[in-house]
Amino acid sequence: MAKVFSFDDIMKLPGRYRANLINKVSGFKAANLIGTKSKDGQTNMAVFNSVMHIGANPPYLGFILRPTTVERHTYENIKETGVYTINQITTAIHEKAHQTSAKYEREVSEFDAVGLTEFYQDDFHAPFVAESYIKIGLSFQEEQLIHCNDTRLVIGKIEHLILPEEAILEDGDVRLEDLDTAAIAGLYNYYKPEHLGKYGYAKPE
Amino acid sequence: MAKVFSFDDIMKLPGRYRANLINKVSGFKAANLIGTKSKDGQTNMAVFNSVMHIGANPPYLGFILRPTTVERHTYENIKETGVYTINQITTAIHEKAHQTSAKYEREVSEFDAVGLTEFYQDDFHAPFVAESYIKIGLSFQEEQLIHCNDTRLVIGKIEHLILPEEAILEDGDVRLEDLDTAAIAGLYNYYKPEHLGKYGYAKPE
């Protein structure tokens, strides 16, 4: 039996119910940890389900930043230092990764609080997550304020990309399932995707 | 063995290799079909792997639009009529969905070309995909030009949300795996996510 919600129906739903429902209907989301470090050396890490591909040439990734306490620490550090890391959440660390969404005080490092390990590449200021097979260091590139609800699209340029060499196929493709990559749905649900198929560049006929 | 790419290394990669690599490193993506219809009645449907949650209150979804032929038909129809649909790709239809990425002529409807069925809700102008369990009708709300690479973030307001009533849990959550929902990685790989766990709102300790 199909349930049909109009815009007005959605607006009348209880807040938590609406948040759960609307966060689900767009489908599965990327599961990443964003790592930052303030100028005075305080590290921070938070789970984000909104990391997206913006372009490959040059290589840009984006994420949506909401005006919450947890995400604000990330934003402040990015604006202060210009750099951050995006680190793949594996199924092995997904419970620790989710725990980073708790509202820790600014002087608490989520690396210590949840038991994940800082990793540094050359002199890049921001901490990577050692347990992530895919580690990406970015420099802040651009942000767009989304007027309809005051969230922000934050875009960074890939400065460092670190991943296991054996996971890269001849055509540059990466088998995410061989790297234990998790996915998220909504705010609280974690998944392990099973491969269905790889298809060519589609052509008419 | 870790492979480390700097920005300069990435820029020197062959184009297709770079596109495959960079499209993978952000993680899994939502799998959706966007349906539109021109003022003169020509329907269009295209696969998008960039649909994202923007906000629940009010309910907004976004997607990234690249300046390609395939995506341009979608964009032209949205600007012409103000409405479009976002429809969940199930594992059952994922091969047909992928085929919509082929460059069909404007006067070919991808619904006919790949064998999916138009569905209409009330007098909403844009066609939904009958085979999708989750069907969302949106009105154009806002767009942001991303300056670093001339792509666009297109945001719509949810006007209609249609999904099976029995899939909605008491708290508004939707078990995507019970609705056969597929995920995408990169441009060509499709997945069926298996549920790992649902966690509460995280708190320190």
Side-chain angles (χ1 to χ4, degrees), chain A residues 1 4 6 35 48 82 88 105 109 112 120 165 173 186 189 196 200 202:
Chain A
M1 183 66 191
V4 181
S6 68
F48 279 79
Q88 166 224 33
E105 298 298 319
S109 170
D112 299 334
Y120 290 92
E165 187 154 22
D173 199 5
N189 283 277
L196 288 173

Side-chain angles (χ1 to χ4, degrees), chain B residues 41-79:
Chain B
Q42 177 63 55
T43 58
N44 178 273
M45 173 175 54
V47 59
F48 279 79
N49 66 10
S50 63
V51 171
M52 71 191 81
H53 177 80
I54 296 291
N57 182 22
Y60 295 123
L61 299 179
F63 69 93
I64 300 289
L65 191 115
R66 300 191 166 77
T68 68
T69 313
V70 172
E71 303 192 359
R72 203 171 57 227
H73 294 162
T74 298
Y75 183 65
E76 287 167 356
N77 288 343
I78 291 174
K79 297 309 290 262

